[in-house]
Amino acid sequence: MVSLVYAVIFGCILALGLPLNATALWMLLRHHGFRSPNAVLMVNLAVSDLLLVIFLPMRVYFYATGTWPLGKMACVLVTLLFRDNIRSSSIFVTCISVDRLLAVVYPLRSRHLRTPSIAVKGAALVWLYVLMLNIPEGLNMSKHLYSQNETTCFESAYAKNPSKPIIVYFHTVVTFIMLAVNIGCTAMVLRTLHRHVSKSAMVDNKVNVMVIFAMNLVIFIICFLPVTLNSVMVISGSDLTFLICLATVNCCLDPLLYYFSLDAFWRKKEDANVRRETRTNDTEFL
């Protein structure tokens, strides 16, 4: 009965996350592309979420039927994609917080840092870091799975696996560092918006800026932190499947982050189009 509940939860996440992220990625590439560092980070975050969502049907089938007919290597692949999403999403969310901090607190001094080319190089390093973590973890998971007598998958196979690569502990430390960065960015931006009321008028929507940082912290603390802690320790009374469900919800929350982050950009673009049309009409009139 509990497994069926998890199957329904993953099914709902799939039904919401797939169209939301597919639409968000299409809108980002069509209307924003890689013209700003914020858009570059958003595109990579959407790609990370889609890589997780498109494999959720396998989890739905597993929890609905209690069987895994796809083999052990497919189980390793799906599990690694889940961990890749948690790691890459947490890094991209942190980068978005830092980018918004620089844009609001240091708009002029950070112009040479906030460029699309630097954002693309940073995103490439993030994916390289994530893939490097897959090598020791994939080997460890495969070795443990093939030592089992029965075909199992996900937490039923890994919960009893005491062997963890040192890289898992390293990423846990990185996660706490990123959490501190998100908290620091939020505090600095809120202080800037509160102290410099006149300067905050340069921000298109003060509420949107505050919502971005609030959402980043909520996603980080609720979705990323619990499952990361559980990967290095056994939390008393914790349900690994519940933590996985909680972490997967970030696929449905991230599209809201795209809206609040790029809503101001849409208004800028519309205003620029209006001014361009006005100048064209004036020229034709003269």
Side-chain angles (χ1 to χ4, degrees):
M1 182 63 185
V2 177
S3 297
L4 289 177
V5 173
Y6 286 132
V8 172
I9 294 175
F10 281 119
C12 293
I13 296 173
L14 172 65
L16 287 174
L18 183 58
L20 285 176
N21 284 283
T23 303
L25 182 60
W26 179 78
M27 294 291 290
L28 285 166
L29 292 175
R30 177 183 174 89
H31 298 285
H32 299 275
F34 297 95
R35 292 190 294 269
S36 70
N38 197 33
V40 171
L41 297 173
M42 296 291 180
V43 168
N44 282 273
L45 185 57
V47 170
S48 175
D49 289 340
L50 275 177
L51 288 176
L52 174 63
V53 171
I54 60 179
F55 285 97
L56 279 184
M58 297 182 182
R59 285 188 178 270
V60 174
Y61 180 86
F62 173 75
Y63 288 109
T65 63
T67 60
W68 182 259
L70 301 178
K72 295 178 180 180
M73 290 307 298
C75 179
V76 172
L77 174 63
V78 174
T79 305
L80 286 178
L81 284 174
F82 167 76
R83 296 190 179 188
D84 289 349
N85 171 260
I86 298 303
R87 289 164 178 165
S88 59
S89 295
S90 61
I91 297 174
F92 286 129
V93 165
T94 304
C95 290
I96 291 171
S97 293
V98 173
D99 177 74
R100 296 297 85 197
L101 166 71
L102 296 176
V104 174
V105 182
Y106 309 105
L108 298 179
R109 283 184 287 177
S110 65
R111 291 180 63 181
H112 67 287
L113 295 175
R114 297 181 59 252
T115 63
S117 61
I118 291 180
V120 170
K121 294 176 183 177
L125 289 176
V126 171
W127 288 114
L128 180 61
Y129 168 75
V130 170
L131 291 176
M132 287 179 62
L133 296 186
N134 287 166
I135 297 174
E137 282 191 323
L139 293 175
N140 185 60
M141 290 178 188
S142 300
K143 180 180 178 180
H144 177 70
L145 276 174
Y146 280 106
S147 67
Q148 303 296 311
N149 295 326
E150 56 179 344
T151 303
T152 55
C153 191
F154 305 132
E155 69 275 12
S156 57
Y158 306 132
K160 299 179 181 180
N161 183 10
S163 176
K164 299 183 180 67
I166 190 65
I167 203 73
V168 175
Y169 297 95
F170 171 75
H171 181 76
T172 303
V173 175
V174 173
T175 299
F176 277 99
I177 294 175
M178 290 189 295
L179 176 61
V181 170
N182 276 278
I183 294 175
C185 290
T186 303
M188 292 179 66
V189 169
L190 290 179
R191 183 180 62 181
T192 300
L193 294 178
H194 177 72
R195 287 185 177 182
H196 307 288
V197 180
S198 60
K199 291 185 179 181
S200 65
M202 295 188 307
V203 181
D204 292 304
N205 193 324
K206 182 178 178 180
V207 175
N208 277 15
V209 174
M210 297 172 65
V211 169
I212 292 170
F213 285 93
M215 287 187 61
N216 283 351
L217 281 178
V218 169
I219 293 173
F220 206 99
I221 294 174
I222 295 180
C223 297
F224 301 148
L225 195 59
V227 73
T228 301
L229 288 175
N230 196 85
S231 65
V232 295
M233 64 180 67
V234 178
I235 303 175
S236 177
S238 65
D239 185 349
L240 181 56
T241 308
F242 173 74
L243 295 180
I244 292 175
C245 289
L246 201 61
T248 310
V249 171
N250 84 91
C251 296
C252 301
L253 297 177
D254 287 339
L256 295 177
L257 186 64
Y258 308 149
Y259 170 78
F260 285 107
S261 294
L262 298 175
D263 179 59
F265 177 86
W266 280 109
R267 288 197 301 274
K268 286 182 180 179
K269 185 176 181 180
E270 291 172 357
D271 293 342
N273 290 336
V274 170
R275 290 193 297 268
R276 189 181 302 110
E277 292 176 0
T278 302
R279 287 196 299 268
T280 302
N281 293 334
D282 291 342
T283 303
E284 292 177 355
F285 177 77
L286 293 176

